[in-house]
Amino acid sequence: MRVSLALLLLLASAPVLAQTALPPAPYADRQIDDPALEKKARALMETIRCLTCQSQSIADSNASMAADMRSEIRQRVMAGEQPEHIRAWLIERYGDWVSYEPTANPIVWPLWGAPIVLLVLGLLLLRGRIRKGRRS
């Protein structure tokens, strides 16, 4: 009886034990002192997707993962890294999906080309129908 009561209390307290004890990232919500560097970091943050929210950029998200990513970007910008190098690192680490800016990988060419091909086919079909209607 005591063992089952102890297990029940342990299961009930599991969410409390799951809370993180880590302090927030140092530059999650604190801006860089140099306005030019902050502008670079902010511009990059607005083009990176929040991995938790998925519909917001990390600049707009309140998720802890987004805060960590904002801090990492600010620290790397202050260390002198260029935004494109940081973007490449994020894409390498989290995949192409993390960036709002489309990539030019050959694997996505059909995705970009399909609407053009369908539009051309639709125009050819429309032209054929119009010509057929004039003959009748």
Side-chain angles (χ1 to χ4, degrees):
M1 176 85 170
R2 288 183 181 172
V3 173
S4 60
L5 183 60
L7 285 174
L8 182 62
L9 287 173
L10 184 62
L11 288 175
S13 65
V16 172
L17 297 174
Q19 297 296 321
T20 182
L22 295 174
Y27 284 95
D29 297 314
R30 195 173 92 204
Q31 294 187 353
I32 301 172
D33 294 333
D34 183 357
L37 291 179
E38 178 62 28
K39 186 176 179 181
K40 272 185 179 180
R42 185 78 179 169
L44 176 59
M45 286 185 263
E46 289 173 355
T47 64
I48 301 296
R49 185 186 316 266
C50 175
L51 299 173
T52 305
C53 304
Q54 299 180 0
S55 62
Q56 291 180 312
S57 70
I58 63 170
D60 301 326
S61 175
N62 290 328
S64 62
M65 181 71 170
D68 291 341
M69 291 172 78
R70 284 193 305 268
S71 181
E72 184 70 28
I73 287 173
R74 284 184 173 124
Q75 288 174 355
R76 286 176 173 250
V77 166
M78 286 189 302
E81 283 189 57
Q82 293 301 314
E84 286 309 312
H85 183 264
I86 300 168
R87 176 190 312 286
W89 175 78
L90 288 167
I91 289 172
E92 180 183 321
R93 184 169 185 179
Y94 299 109
D96 287 333
W97 188 81
V98 77
S99 177
Y100 277 123
E101 292 183 2
T103 60
N105 290 339
I107 197 158
V108 295
W109 289 352
L111 181 67
W112 292 98
I116 296 169
V117 169
L118 290 174
L119 183 63
V120 169
L121 288 175
L123 290 173
L124 290 174
L125 181 66
L126 182 65
R127 190 178 105 199
R129 296 278 177 151
I130 291 173
R131 282 187 177 179
K132 187 177 182 181
R134 286 184 184 168
R135 291 182 194 154
S136 299

